[in-house]
Amino acid sequence: MARDLREFLNLLEQRGQLQRIKALVDSDLEIAEISNRMLQQGGPALLFENVKGSPHSIAINVMGTVERICWAMNMEQPQELEDLGKKLAMLQQPKPPKKVAQAIDFGKVLFDVVKAKPGRDFFPPCHQVVVEGEDLDLNQIPMIRPYCGDAGKIITLGLVITRDCETGTPNVGVYRLQLQSQNTMTVHWLSVRGGARHLRKAAEQGKKLEVAIALGVDPLIIMAAATPIPVDLSEWLFAGLYGGSGVKLAKCKTVDLEVPADSEFVLEGTITPGEVLPDGPFGDHMGYYGGVEDSPLIRFHCMTHRKDPIYLTTFSGRPPKEEAMMAIALNRIYTPILRQQVSEITDFFLPMEALSYKAAVISIDKAYPGQARRAALAFWSALPQFTYTKFVIVVDKSINIRDPRQVVWAITSKVDPVRDVFILPETPFDTLDFASEKIGLGGRMGIDATTKMPPETDHPWGDPLESDPDVAAMVDRRWAEYGLADLKLGEVDPNLFGYEM
């Protein structure tokens, strides 16, 4: 299994999923434009080896398909991600085993946790080159500027590592950072995130908050850091569970923090509580430019990196983008956890085009009236990451929730807007969502697209149209006899039905 960025890039190249670009390119706008065209087509990862004004290479679109994310997690199919979700669900809400087989399964999960414990590397590759003091110049890192309206250069796939000054517990998050000067950057994080909580605690004690930024890490660790599942395990243990073995960590040179030993770059610095600078605007996942916010300022005093480091980056925007591919993979991981939280849910899907979390389609095994509404309300409160989901569509378990044609049919054939649509007004909401009348406060809509039963309706529901089973079996037997054996019936091109995809 690939355990650092370089090994993973080698794996992609072996599988024909890496394109090396030797032509001179500009990290200002040009690289993002090239990458965006690749993302639209599900194209390969890109390694730019000749970046204007920098001796370092840039890797981008590395996680631009769900297939490559599966490879990063040592899997081949997205369905395998649900097995990982089952492990996390078992850890989140462990239940006394009723059978020997259940006890054995739980024992295996506990053993996986033991194997996932991080290790220590005393001669880490990330310390091969050390730059401190006045020699430090963040412009040496070939940061990109994705959109012409962006305020400056950014870091997007950096692991931002902080520590709780009371408990000593570290937090690893993935937050956007904006270059402000040769040794300062602002960090943009929501107030509910771990780094923001650590900064508030440091402020209460009158201390500076130490920060380390690890760039160019194993993509598997990025997936672990981006998984906001409420299990009391560190992101390093998550990464170990994801990968099947512990992450090798190294102590920073100047701050009391640990980073992945194989990081390509490591930045070390501090935040003085209350010291802020304007951050933004930047293109964000909603498909618009975000606003300008005063954000904490990080002052860096040390940078370490590997010899000939590779800078890993990405950018946000209207899907498809790498963050949307990550969300699809996380969707699979969440599914077993959600089923455990809301027992009637059989499956759920967060469509990429709905910004990966703004709309959810859930299927239920409906047993009683009003159950669809109950399931929608339970979904919104099941996990923190569903707090900002605007639309929840509930369908019967017979509907393939990943087929938009089936979902649209269910809505149009089973929904009476007066009876089956309900709205929750003025709930806490995403500040990046400009559709809300009041920023930070918005409504939610639930749509019951299930088959109705009394007393939801007072008239009989029509029977669904189905083929006669005997005739269908006969046609199967005689298919070749009709002279149709060479016609393979399977997935149909949606463009044949008026779509433009």
Side-chain angles (χ1 to χ4, degrees), residues 149-179:
D150 286 348
K153 295 182 177 181
I154 55 171
I155 287 175
T156 51
L157 284 181
L159 300 183
V160 180
I161 303 158
T162 58
R163 186 186 299 277
D164 188 309
C165 60
E166 292 179 352
T167 66
T169 303
N171 179 78
V172 184
V174 181
Y175 312 120
R176 188 193 71 223
L177 299 108
Q178 175 185 338
L179 182 66

Short mmCIF file of all heavy atoms in Angstrom, two decimals, residues 149-179:
data_model
loop_
_atom_site.label_atom_id
_atom_site.label_comp_id
_atom_site.label_asym_id
_atom_site.label_seq_id
_atom_site.Cartn_x
_atom_site.Cartn_y
_atom_site.Cartn_z
N GLY A 149 -10.72 36.30 -9.66
CA GLY A 149 -11.23 37.16 -8.60
C GLY A 149 -10.72 36.80 -7.22
O GLY A 149 -11.13 37.42 -6.22
N ASP A 150 -9.85 35.80 -7.12
CA ASP A 150 -9.30 35.38 -5.82
C ASP A 150 -8.33 36.44 -5.28
O ASP A 150 -7.60 37.09 -6.04
CB ASP A 150 -8.56 34.05 -5.95
CG ASP A 150 -9.51 32.88 -6.11
OD1 ASP A 150 -10.71 33.06 -5.89
OD2 ASP A 150 -9.03 31.78 -6.46
N ALA A 151 -8.31 36.56 -3.95
CA ALA A 151 -7.50 37.59 -3.30
C ALA A 151 -6.01 37.30 -3.36
O ALA A 151 -5.20 38.23 -3.25
CB ALA A 151 -7.94 37.75 -1.84
N GLY A 152 -5.62 36.06 -3.54
CA GLY A 152 -4.19 35.75 -3.54
C GLY A 152 -3.96 34.26 -3.69
O GLY A 152 -4.86 33.49 -4.05
N LYS A 153 -2.73 33.85 -3.41
CA LYS A 153 -2.36 32.44 -3.49
C LYS A 153 -2.85 31.70 -2.25
O LYS A 153 -2.95 32.27 -1.18
CB LYS A 153 -0.85 32.30 -3.63
CG LYS A 153 -0.30 32.89 -4.93
CD LYS A 153 1.20 32.68 -5.04
CE LYS A 153 1.72 33.21 -6.36
NZ LYS A 153 3.19 32.99 -6.50
N ILE A 154 -3.13 30.41 -2.43
CA ILE A 154 -3.73 29.64 -1.34
C ILE A 154 -3.08 28.27 -1.17
O ILE A 154 -2.47 27.72 -2.09
CB ILE A 154 -5.25 29.42 -1.57
CG1 ILE A 154 -5.50 28.78 -2.94
CG2 ILE A 154 -6.01 30.72 -1.41
CD1 ILE A 154 -6.94 28.34 -3.15
N ILE A 155 -3.24 27.75 0.04
CA ILE A 155 -2.98 26.34 0.35
C ILE A 155 -4.34 25.71 0.64
O ILE A 155 -5.15 26.27 1.39
CB ILE A 155 -2.05 26.20 1.57
CG1 ILE A 155 -0.62 26.57 1.19
CG2 ILE A 155 -2.09 24.78 2.13
CD1 ILE A 155 0.36 26.57 2.37
N THR A 156 -4.60 24.56 0.03
CA THR A 156 -5.91 23.92 0.19
C THR A 156 -5.85 22.52 0.80
O THR A 156 -6.76 22.13 1.50
CB THR A 156 -6.61 23.82 -1.17
OG1 THR A 156 -5.70 23.23 -2.11
CG2 THR A 156 -7.03 25.19 -1.66
N LEU A 157 -4.81 21.77 0.52
CA LEU A 157 -4.74 20.38 1.00
C LEU A 157 -3.68 20.23 2.09
O LEU A 157 -3.07 19.17 2.23
CB LEU A 157 -4.44 19.42 -0.15
CG LEU A 157 -5.63 19.10 -1.07
CD1 LEU A 157 -5.22 18.11 -2.15
CD2 LEU A 157 -6.81 18.56 -0.29
N GLY A 158 -3.48 21.28 2.87
CA GLY A 158 -2.55 21.19 3.99
C GLY A 158 -3.25 20.67 5.23
O GLY A 158 -4.39 21.03 5.52
N LEU A 159 -2.58 19.79 5.96
CA LEU A 159 -3.08 19.36 7.26
C LEU A 159 -2.71 20.43 8.28
O LEU A 159 -1.54 20.69 8.52
CB LEU A 159 -2.46 18.03 7.67
CG LEU A 159 -2.69 16.82 6.76
CD1 LEU A 159 -2.03 15.58 7.38
CD2 LEU A 159 -4.16 16.58 6.51
N VAL A 160 -3.72 21.08 8.86
CA VAL A 160 -3.49 22.12 9.86
C VAL A 160 -3.59 21.46 11.23
O VAL A 160 -4.65 20.99 11.64
CB VAL A 160 -4.54 23.24 9.72
CG1 VAL A 160 -4.28 24.33 10.76
CG2 VAL A 160 -4.49 23.83 8.31
N ILE A 161 -2.45 21.42 11.93
CA ILE A 161 -2.34 20.65 13.17
C ILE A 161 -2.18 21.61 14.34
O ILE A 161 -1.30 22.48 14.34
CB ILE A 161 -1.14 19.68 13.09
CG1 ILE A 161 -1.30 18.75 11.88
CG2 ILE A 161 -1.01 18.87 14.38
CD1 ILE A 161 -0.02 18.14 11.39
N THR A 162 -3.05 21.47 15.34
CA THR A 162 -2.99 22.27 16.56
C THR A 162 -3.16 21.33 17.76
O THR A 162 -3.44 20.15 17.60
CB THR A 162 -4.09 23.35 16.58
OG1 THR A 162 -5.38 22.70 16.45
CG2 THR A 162 -3.92 24.33 15.44
N ARG A 163 -3.00 21.91 18.96
CA ARG A 163 -3.13 21.09 20.16
C ARG A 163 -3.96 21.83 21.22
O ARG A 163 -3.80 23.04 21.40
CB ARG A 163 -1.75 20.75 20.73
CG ARG A 163 -1.77 19.76 21.91
CD ARG A 163 -0.38 19.59 22.52
NE ARG A 163 0.58 19.07 21.56
CZ ARG A 163 0.70 17.76 21.29
NH1 ARG A 163 -0.06 16.89 21.91
NH2 ARG A 163 1.62 17.36 20.43
N ASP A 164 -4.84 21.10 21.90
CA ASP A 164 -5.63 21.65 23.00
C ASP A 164 -4.70 21.93 24.17
O ASP A 164 -4.04 21.02 24.69
CB ASP A 164 -6.71 20.64 23.40
CG ASP A 164 -7.71 21.21 24.40
OD1 ASP A 164 -7.26 21.77 25.42
OD2 ASP A 164 -8.92 21.07 24.18
N CYS A 165 -4.62 23.20 24.60
CA CYS A 165 -3.66 23.57 25.65
C CYS A 165 -4.05 23.01 27.02
O CYS A 165 -3.23 23.01 27.94
CB CYS A 165 -3.51 25.09 25.72
SG CYS A 165 -5.04 25.97 26.08
N GLU A 166 -5.30 22.54 27.18
CA GLU A 166 -5.73 21.96 28.45
C GLU A 166 -5.51 20.45 28.49
O GLU A 166 -4.96 19.91 29.45
CB GLU A 166 -7.21 22.26 28.68
CG GLU A 166 -7.52 23.73 28.94
CD GLU A 166 -8.99 23.98 29.15
OE1 GLU A 166 -9.80 23.04 28.95
OE2 GLU A 166 -9.34 25.11 29.53
N THR A 167 -5.92 19.76 27.42
CA THR A 167 -5.86 18.29 27.43
C THR A 167 -4.65 17.74 26.69
O THR A 167 -4.31 16.58 26.87
CB THR A 167 -7.13 17.73 26.78
OG1 THR A 167 -7.16 18.08 25.39
CG2 THR A 167 -8.39 18.27 27.46
N GLY A 168 -4.03 18.56 25.85
CA GLY A 168 -2.91 18.08 25.05
C GLY A 168 -3.33 17.29 23.83
O GLY A 168 -2.49 16.77 23.09
N THR A 169 -4.64 17.17 23.57
CA THR A 169 -5.15 16.40 22.44
C THR A 169 -4.94 17.19 21.15
O THR A 169 -5.34 18.35 21.05
CB THR A 169 -6.64 16.10 22.62
OG1 THR A 169 -6.83 15.40 23.84
CG2 THR A 169 -7.17 15.26 21.46
N PRO A 170 -4.34 16.58 20.14
CA PRO A 170 -4.14 17.30 18.86
C PRO A 170 -5.40 17.27 18.01
O PRO A 170 -6.27 16.41 18.17
CB PRO A 170 -3.01 16.51 18.19
CG PRO A 170 -3.18 15.12 18.72
CD PRO A 170 -3.70 15.25 20.13
N ASN A 171 -5.49 18.22 17.12
CA ASN A 171 -6.55 18.23 16.10
C ASN A 171 -5.88 18.38 14.74
O ASN A 171 -4.95 19.17 14.57
CB ASN A 171 -7.52 19.38 16.32
CG ASN A 171 -8.61 19.41 15.26
OD1 ASN A 171 -9.56 18.64 15.29
ND2 ASN A 171 -8.47 20.31 14.28
N VAL A 172 -6.37 17.63 13.79
CA VAL A 172 -5.86 17.69 12.42
C VAL A 172 -7.04 18.04 11.51
O VAL A 172 -8.00 17.29 11.43
CB VAL A 172 -5.23 16.36 11.97
CG1 VAL A 172 -4.62 16.50 10.58
CG2 VAL A 172 -4.19 15.89 12.98
N GLY A 173 -6.98 19.19 10.87
CA GLY A 173 -8.04 19.61 9.98
C GLY A 173 -7.50 20.04 8.64
O GLY A 173 -6.30 20.28 8.48
N VAL A 174 -8.39 20.13 7.66
CA VAL A 174 -8.03 20.61 6.32
C VAL A 174 -8.74 21.93 6.11
O VAL A 174 -9.96 21.96 5.90
CB VAL A 174 -8.42 19.59 5.23
CG1 VAL A 174 -7.99 20.10 3.85
CG2 VAL A 174 -7.79 18.24 5.50
N TYR A 175 -8.00 23.04 6.21
CA TYR A 175 -8.58 24.38 6.09
C TYR A 175 -7.83 25.16 5.00
O TYR A 175 -6.65 24.91 4.75
CB TYR A 175 -8.45 25.15 7.41
CG TYR A 175 -8.88 24.38 8.64
CD1 TYR A 175 -7.98 24.12 9.68
CD2 TYR A 175 -10.18 23.91 8.77
CE1 TYR A 175 -8.37 23.42 10.81
CE2 TYR A 175 -10.58 23.21 9.90
CZ TYR A 175 -9.66 22.97 10.92
OH TYR A 175 -10.06 22.27 12.04
N ARG A 176 -8.52 26.12 4.41
CA ARG A 176 -7.88 26.96 3.40
C ARG A 176 -7.00 28.01 4.08
O ARG A 176 -7.38 28.60 5.09
CB ARG A 176 -8.94 27.66 2.56
CG ARG A 176 -8.36 28.40 1.35
CD ARG A 176 -9.38 29.32 0.73
NE ARG A 176 -9.65 30.48 1.57
CZ ARG A 176 -10.85 30.98 1.82
NH1 ARG A 176 -11.92 30.40 1.32
NH2 ARG A 176 -10.99 32.04 2.59
N LEU A 177 -5.82 28.26 3.50
CA LEU A 177 -4.91 29.29 4.00
C LEU A 177 -4.58 30.25 2.86
O LEU A 177 -4.36 29.83 1.73
CB LEU A 177 -3.62 28.68 4.55
CG LEU A 177 -3.79 27.73 5.74
CD1 LEU A 177 -3.53 26.30 5.30
CD2 LEU A 177 -2.85 28.11 6.87
N GLN A 178 -4.52 31.55 3.18
CA GLN A 178 -4.18 32.57 2.18
C GLN A 178 -2.82 33.19 2.49
O GLN A 178 -2.55 33.59 3.62
CB GLN A 178 -5.24 33.68 2.17
CG GLN A 178 -4.89 34.84 1.23
CD GLN A 178 -5.88 35.99 1.32
OE1 GLN A 178 -7.00 35.81 1.75
NE2 GLN A 178 -5.45 37.18 0.92
N LEU A 179 -1.98 33.25 1.47
CA LEU A 179 -0.67 33.89 1.62
C LEU A 179 -0.85 35.39 1.85
O LEU A 179 -1.53 36.07 1.09
CB LEU A 179 0.16 33.65 0.35
CG LEU A 179 1.58 34.22 0.36
CD1 LEU A 179 2.44 33.51 1.39
CD2 LEU A 179 2.20 34.11 -1.03
#
